[in-house]
Amino acid sequence: MFWFNPFFHLIKNEIKAIQEFLADKHATEEKDTSEYAELLLMQAIGTYKYKLVNPFFIIN
């Protein structure tokens, strides 16, 4: 219905950005902000401190 309105796409992008800021604010309210920043940085780089795999089960 709104595919012809170019402002709809701009508003949609702004709503996504606001939701991200609200999620970050909620995540850092009662926790250590440096730990959360490290988590975001590791996710952006692609390295993780904790992996969800078992190193003892290796298929050759």
Side-chain angles (χ1 to χ4, degrees):
M1 173 156 78
F2 296 106
W3 64 269
F4 58 89
N5 189 351
F7 293 108
F8 176 73
H9 297 290
L10 296 174
I11 291 171
K12 187 172 98 174
N13 290 339
E14 287 298 316
I15 289 174
K16 283 183 182 179
I18 290 170
Q19 288 177 343
E20 286 292 326
F21 287 129
L22 289 174
D24 288 340
K25 181 181 176 186
H26 179 71
T28 58
E29 280 179 348
E30 298 177 5
K31 297 188 174 42
D32 185 20
T33 56
S34 62
E35 183 179 331
Y36 182 65
E38 182 183 0
L39 174 70
L40 291 177
L41 182 62
M42 287 189 315
Q43 186 173 5
I45 293 174
T47 59
Y48 301 101
K49 185 186 280 186
Y50 305 107
K51 298 196 183 236
L52 297 175
V53 295
N54 186 352
F56 299 110
F57 185 68
I58 301 173
I59 299 174
N60 289 328

